[in-house]
Amino acid sequence: MIRRLAATDSIDDLTSLLHRAYAGLAAMGFNYTAVDQSADVTLARIADGLCFVAEMDSTIVGTIMYYPSGTKGGCPWYDRPNIAKIGQFGVEPSCQGTGVGALLLQRAEAEAALAGADEIALDTAEEAHHLVSWYGRCGYRFIEHAQWDGKVYRSVILSKPLHALNAS
């Protein structure tokens, strides 16, 4: 089940989930924020948008943040007024590859389409080839590069047009 994060959900548990979800990327040398962020950082990132979670058997097994268009994002594409964004996207390692991530991504895309965004965008490490490829299969295309402060990797900004979803 995909739902909005509830006030009764544990931010500490969500933060631990993100740490587990990003551990493989950390092992590859990528210092994504979610690798070791504090619960306070998780909460601050949630405050800027809508947090969705995937729940199985009463346990949260995935999460994604949706940021509406018009929210400043720190790169030229993100700063465009018609671009929604996603971030803080992670799935419990034992659930990766089962479709949980695709359902979370579809939920964020649907939210962006309902809000009238033209596109939804995200970023990931350029060298995280498995993620870049997966997003490509989900309809995302390369837009530009970004170098975020404090990150040891260069990011790619990927974006997906929402025209078909907006027409529904």
Side-chain angles (χ1 to χ4, degrees), residues 61-102:
V61 296
T63 186
I64 193 168
M65 280 300 305
Y66 161 76
Y67 302 101
S69 57
T71 308
K72 295 293 181 189
C75 71
W77 189 256
Y78 280 177
D79 291 343
R80 294 170 58 122
N82 59 338
I83 305 297
K85 296 163 278 306
I86 61 168
Q88 197 164 261
F89 180 19
V91 174
E92 188 70 55
S94 64
C95 295
Q96 292 174 4
T98 66
V100 170

Short mmCIF file of all heavy atoms in Angstrom, two decimals, residues 61-102:
data_model
loop_
_atom_site.label_atom_id
_atom_site.label_comp_id
_atom_site.label_asym_id
_atom_site.label_seq_id
_atom_site.Cartn_x
_atom_site.Cartn_y
_atom_site.Cartn_z
N VAL A 61 8.36 -0.04 4.03
CA VAL A 61 9.44 -0.67 3.28
C VAL A 61 10.00 0.23 2.17
O VAL A 61 10.90 -0.19 1.44
CB VAL A 61 9.00 -2.03 2.69
CG1 VAL A 61 8.66 -3.02 3.80
CG2 VAL A 61 7.83 -1.86 1.72
N GLY A 62 9.47 1.44 2.06
CA GLY A 62 9.98 2.36 1.04
C GLY A 62 9.43 3.75 1.26
O GLY A 62 8.42 3.93 1.95
N THR A 63 10.11 4.72 0.67
CA THR A 63 9.68 6.11 0.79
C THR A 63 10.14 6.91 -0.40
O THR A 63 11.13 6.57 -1.06
CB THR A 63 10.22 6.73 2.10
OG1 THR A 63 9.66 8.03 2.27
CG2 THR A 63 11.73 6.82 2.11
N ILE A 64 9.40 7.98 -0.68
CA ILE A 64 9.77 8.93 -1.73
C ILE A 64 9.23 10.30 -1.32
O ILE A 64 8.15 10.40 -0.74
CB ILE A 64 9.24 8.49 -3.11
CG1 ILE A 64 9.88 9.30 -4.24
CG2 ILE A 64 7.71 8.58 -3.16
CD1 ILE A 64 9.61 8.72 -5.64
N MET A 65 9.99 11.32 -1.62
CA MET A 65 9.56 12.70 -1.40
C MET A 65 9.13 13.29 -2.72
O MET A 65 9.83 13.14 -3.73
CB MET A 65 10.69 13.54 -0.83
CG MET A 65 10.90 13.37 0.65
SD MET A 65 9.48 13.81 1.67
CE MET A 65 9.13 15.48 1.13
N TYR A 66 8.01 14.00 -2.70
CA TYR A 66 7.52 14.76 -3.85
C TYR A 66 7.61 16.24 -3.49
O TYR A 66 7.11 16.65 -2.43
CB TYR A 66 6.07 14.37 -4.17
CG TYR A 66 5.36 15.40 -5.00
CD1 TYR A 66 5.62 15.51 -6.36
CD2 TYR A 66 4.44 16.27 -4.43
CE1 TYR A 66 4.98 16.47 -7.13
CE2 TYR A 66 3.78 17.23 -5.19
CZ TYR A 66 4.06 17.33 -6.54
OH TYR A 66 3.42 18.28 -7.28
N TYR A 67 8.25 17.00 -4.35
CA TYR A 67 8.38 18.44 -4.17
C TYR A 67 7.66 19.12 -5.33
O TYR A 67 8.02 18.90 -6.49
CB TYR A 67 9.85 18.87 -4.14
CG TYR A 67 10.64 18.17 -3.06
CD1 TYR A 67 11.46 17.09 -3.35
CD2 TYR A 67 10.57 18.60 -1.74
CE1 TYR A 67 12.19 16.44 -2.36
CE2 TYR A 67 11.30 17.96 -0.74
CZ TYR A 67 12.10 16.88 -1.06
OH TYR A 67 12.82 16.25 -0.07
N PRO A 68 6.65 19.94 -5.06
CA PRO A 68 5.87 20.55 -6.14
C PRO A 68 6.70 21.52 -6.98
O PRO A 68 7.73 22.03 -6.53
CB PRO A 68 4.74 21.28 -5.41
CG PRO A 68 5.15 21.38 -3.99
CD PRO A 68 6.19 20.33 -3.73
N SER A 69 6.22 21.75 -8.19
CA SER A 69 6.90 22.72 -9.06
C SER A 69 6.89 24.08 -8.37
O SER A 69 6.03 24.39 -7.56
CB SER A 69 6.23 22.79 -10.43
OG SER A 69 4.87 23.11 -10.30
N GLY A 70 7.92 24.86 -8.68
CA GLY A 70 8.06 26.16 -8.04
C GLY A 70 8.93 26.13 -6.80
O GLY A 70 9.30 27.16 -6.27
N THR A 71 9.27 24.92 -6.33
CA THR A 71 10.17 24.77 -5.19
C THR A 71 11.60 24.86 -5.71
O THR A 71 11.97 24.13 -6.61
CB THR A 71 9.96 23.39 -4.52
OG1 THR A 71 8.58 23.21 -4.24
CG2 THR A 71 10.76 23.26 -3.25
N LYS A 72 12.38 25.77 -5.18
CA LYS A 72 13.75 25.93 -5.64
C LYS A 72 14.55 24.66 -5.35
O LYS A 72 14.41 24.06 -4.30
CB LYS A 72 14.42 27.13 -4.98
CG LYS A 72 13.79 28.45 -5.37
CD LYS A 72 14.03 28.74 -6.83
CE LYS A 72 13.43 30.06 -7.23
NZ LYS A 72 13.45 30.29 -8.65
N GLY A 73 15.39 24.29 -6.33
CA GLY A 73 16.10 23.05 -6.18
C GLY A 73 17.60 23.11 -6.33
O GLY A 73 18.27 22.12 -6.16
N GLY A 74 18.15 24.26 -6.68
CA GLY A 74 19.59 24.39 -6.70
C GLY A 74 20.28 24.14 -8.03
O GLY A 74 21.50 24.17 -8.10
N CYS A 75 19.54 23.87 -9.10
CA CYS A 75 20.12 23.75 -10.42
C CYS A 75 19.13 24.37 -11.41
O CYS A 75 17.94 24.50 -11.10
CB CYS A 75 20.45 22.31 -10.78
SG CYS A 75 19.02 21.25 -11.10
N PRO A 76 19.60 24.77 -12.57
CA PRO A 76 18.70 25.47 -13.51
C PRO A 76 17.41 24.71 -13.84
O PRO A 76 16.33 25.30 -13.86
CB PRO A 76 19.57 25.68 -14.75
CG PRO A 76 20.96 25.76 -14.20
CD PRO A 76 20.98 24.76 -13.06
N TRP A 77 17.49 23.41 -14.07
CA TRP A 77 16.28 22.66 -14.43
C TRP A 77 15.30 22.61 -13.27
O TRP A 77 14.10 22.81 -13.43
CB TRP A 77 16.65 21.25 -14.90
CG TRP A 77 15.48 20.51 -15.48
CD1 TRP A 77 14.76 19.52 -14.88
CD2 TRP A 77 14.87 20.71 -16.76
NE1 TRP A 77 13.75 19.09 -15.70
CE2 TRP A 77 13.79 19.80 -16.87
CE3 TRP A 77 15.11 21.57 -17.82
CZ2 TRP A 77 12.98 19.72 -18.01
CZ3 TRP A 77 14.32 21.48 -18.95
CH2 TRP A 77 13.26 20.57 -19.02
N TYR A 78 15.80 22.33 -12.08
CA TYR A 78 14.93 22.27 -10.90
C TYR A 78 14.26 23.61 -10.61
O TYR A 78 13.16 23.64 -10.06
CB TYR A 78 15.73 21.88 -9.66
CG TYR A 78 16.04 20.41 -9.51
CD1 TYR A 78 16.81 19.98 -8.45
CD2 TYR A 78 15.57 19.45 -10.39
CE1 TYR A 78 17.11 18.64 -8.26
CE2 TYR A 78 15.86 18.11 -10.22
CZ TYR A 78 16.64 17.71 -9.15
OH TYR A 78 16.93 16.39 -8.97
N ASP A 79 14.94 24.69 -10.95
CA ASP A 79 14.42 26.01 -10.62
C ASP A 79 13.35 26.50 -11.60
O ASP A 79 12.77 27.56 -11.38
CB ASP A 79 15.57 27.02 -10.54
CG ASP A 79 16.46 26.77 -9.32
OD1 ASP A 79 16.02 26.06 -8.40
OD2 ASP A 79 17.59 27.28 -9.32
N ARG A 80 13.08 25.74 -12.64
CA ARG A 80 12.03 26.13 -13.59
C ARG A 80 10.67 26.01 -12.90
O ARG A 80 10.44 25.11 -12.10
CB ARG A 80 12.09 25.24 -14.83
CG ARG A 80 13.37 25.43 -15.63
CD ARG A 80 13.52 24.37 -16.71
NE ARG A 80 12.39 24.40 -17.61
CZ ARG A 80 12.47 24.59 -18.91
NH1 ARG A 80 13.65 24.78 -19.47
NH2 ARG A 80 11.40 24.57 -19.66
N PRO A 81 9.74 26.91 -13.21
CA PRO A 81 8.46 26.93 -12.49
C PRO A 81 7.52 25.76 -12.78
O PRO A 81 6.61 25.51 -12.01
CB PRO A 81 7.82 28.24 -12.96
CG PRO A 81 8.46 28.53 -14.27
CD PRO A 81 9.87 27.99 -14.18
N ASN A 82 7.75 25.00 -13.83
CA ASN A 82 6.84 23.92 -14.19
C ASN A 82 7.42 22.53 -13.93
O ASN A 82 6.89 21.53 -14.43
CB ASN A 82 6.46 24.05 -15.67
CG ASN A 82 7.69 24.00 -16.58
OD1 ASN A 82 8.81 24.27 -16.15
ND2 ASN A 82 7.49 23.65 -17.83
N ILE A 83 8.49 22.46 -13.15
CA ILE A 83 9.17 21.19 -12.89
C ILE A 83 8.96 20.76 -11.44
O ILE A 83 9.40 21.44 -10.51
CB ILE A 83 10.68 21.30 -13.18
CG1 ILE A 83 10.95 21.80 -14.61
CG2 ILE A 83 11.39 19.97 -12.91
CD1 ILE A 83 10.46 20.89 -15.70
N ALA A 84 8.30 19.63 -11.25
CA ALA A 84 8.20 19.02 -9.92
C ALA A 84 9.44 18.15 -9.72
O ALA A 84 10.14 17.82 -10.68
CB ALA A 84 6.93 18.18 -9.82
N LYS A 85 9.71 17.79 -8.48
CA LYS A 85 10.91 17.02 -8.19
C LYS A 85 10.60 15.87 -7.23
O LYS A 85 9.63 15.93 -6.48
CB LYS A 85 11.97 17.92 -7.55
CG LYS A 85 12.46 19.02 -8.46
CD LYS A 85 13.16 20.11 -7.73
CE LYS A 85 12.29 21.15 -7.10
NZ LYS A 85 11.33 21.85 -7.90
N ILE A 86 11.46 14.86 -7.28
CA ILE A 86 11.41 13.81 -6.27
C ILE A 86 12.79 13.68 -5.64
O ILE A 86 13.79 14.07 -6.22
CB ILE A 86 10.95 12.45 -6.84
CG1 ILE A 86 11.90 11.95 -7.92
CG2 ILE A 86 9.52 12.52 -7.32
CD1 ILE A 86 11.66 10.51 -8.29
N GLY A 87 12.81 13.13 -4.45
CA GLY A 87 14.06 12.91 -3.75
C GLY A 87 13.83 12.00 -2.56
O GLY A 87 12.73 11.49 -2.35
N GLN A 88 14.91 11.80 -1.79
CA GLN A 88 14.85 10.97 -0.59
C GLN A 88 14.04 9.70 -0.86
O GLN A 88 13.11 9.35 -0.16
CB GLN A 88 14.26 11.76 0.59
CG GLN A 88 14.53 11.13 1.92
CD GLN A 88 14.29 12.08 3.08
OE1 GLN A 88 15.23 12.65 3.59
NE2 GLN A 88 13.06 12.22 3.51
N PHE A 89 14.42 9.03 -1.95
CA PHE A 89 13.72 7.87 -2.48
C PHE A 89 14.52 6.62 -2.13
O PHE A 89 15.65 6.47 -2.55
CB PHE A 89 13.62 8.05 -4.00
CG PHE A 89 12.91 6.97 -4.77
CD1 PHE A 89 12.07 6.07 -4.17
CD2 PHE A 89 13.09 6.89 -6.14
CE1 PHE A 89 11.41 5.09 -4.92
CE2 PHE A 89 12.45 5.93 -6.90
CZ PHE A 89 11.61 5.03 -6.28
N GLY A 90 13.93 5.76 -1.33
CA GLY A 90 14.63 4.55 -0.93
C GLY A 90 13.67 3.41 -0.65
O GLY A 90 12.54 3.62 -0.22
N VAL A 91 14.16 2.20 -0.89
CA VAL A 91 13.39 0.98 -0.67
C VAL A 91 14.24 0.03 0.16
O VAL A 91 15.45 -0.11 -0.08
CB VAL A 91 12.98 0.32 -2.01
CG1 VAL A 91 12.30 -1.01 -1.79
CG2 VAL A 91 12.09 1.27 -2.81
N GLU A 92 13.59 -0.61 1.12
CA GLU A 92 14.24 -1.63 1.95
C GLU A 92 15.00 -2.60 1.02
O GLU A 92 14.44 -3.07 0.02
CB GLU A 92 13.18 -2.38 2.75
CG GLU A 92 13.72 -3.31 3.77
CD GLU A 92 14.36 -2.61 4.96
OE1 GLU A 92 13.70 -1.76 5.59
OE2 GLU A 92 15.53 -2.92 5.24
N PRO A 93 16.28 -2.88 1.30
CA PRO A 93 17.05 -3.74 0.40
C PRO A 93 16.37 -5.07 0.05
O PRO A 93 16.42 -5.51 -1.10
CB PRO A 93 18.36 -3.96 1.15
CG PRO A 93 18.52 -2.70 1.95
CD PRO A 93 17.11 -2.34 2.38
N SER A 94 15.70 -5.69 1.01
CA SER A 94 15.04 -6.97 0.73
C SER A 94 13.84 -6.82 -0.21
O SER A 94 13.36 -7.81 -0.77
CB SER A 94 14.59 -7.65 2.03
OG SER A 94 13.61 -6.85 2.69
N CYS A 95 13.37 -5.60 -0.40
CA CYS A 95 12.22 -5.34 -1.28
C CYS A 95 12.63 -4.71 -2.61
O CYS A 95 11.77 -4.50 -3.47
CB CYS A 95 11.21 -4.44 -0.58
SG CYS A 95 10.44 -5.21 0.86
N GLN A 96 13.91 -4.40 -2.76
CA GLN A 96 14.37 -3.82 -4.02
C GLN A 96 14.21 -4.85 -5.14
O GLN A 96 14.47 -6.02 -4.95
CB GLN A 96 15.82 -3.34 -3.91
CG GLN A 96 15.94 -2.15 -2.98
CD GLN A 96 17.36 -1.71 -2.71
OE1 GLN A 96 18.31 -2.24 -3.26
NE2 GLN A 96 17.51 -0.72 -1.83
N GLY A 97 13.73 -4.39 -6.28
CA GLY A 97 13.52 -5.28 -7.42
C GLY A 97 12.17 -5.97 -7.41
O GLY A 97 11.91 -6.80 -8.28
N THR A 98 11.31 -5.62 -6.45
CA THR A 98 9.98 -6.27 -6.36
C THR A 98 8.84 -5.41 -6.88
O THR A 98 7.70 -5.83 -6.85
CB THR A 98 9.67 -6.65 -4.90
OG1 THR A 98 9.52 -5.44 -4.13
CG2 THR A 98 10.75 -7.54 -4.29
N GLY A 99 9.16 -4.19 -7.32
CA GLY A 99 8.12 -3.28 -7.81
C GLY A 99 7.72 -2.21 -6.82
O GLY A 99 6.94 -1.31 -7.17
N VAL A 100 8.21 -2.27 -5.60
CA VAL A 100 7.87 -1.27 -4.59
C VAL A 100 8.33 0.11 -5.04
O VAL A 100 7.58 1.09 -4.98
CB VAL A 100 8.48 -1.63 -3.21
CG1 VAL A 100 8.34 -0.48 -2.23
CG2 VAL A 100 7.83 -2.89 -2.66
N GLY A 101 9.55 0.21 -5.53
CA GLY A 101 10.08 1.49 -6.00
C GLY A 101 9.27 2.04 -7.16
O GLY A 101 8.99 3.24 -7.22
N ALA A 102 8.88 1.18 -8.08
CA ALA A 102 8.07 1.62 -9.23
C ALA A 102 6.74 2.18 -8.76
O ALA A 102 6.28 3.20 -9.29
CB ALA A 102 7.87 0.47 -10.21
#
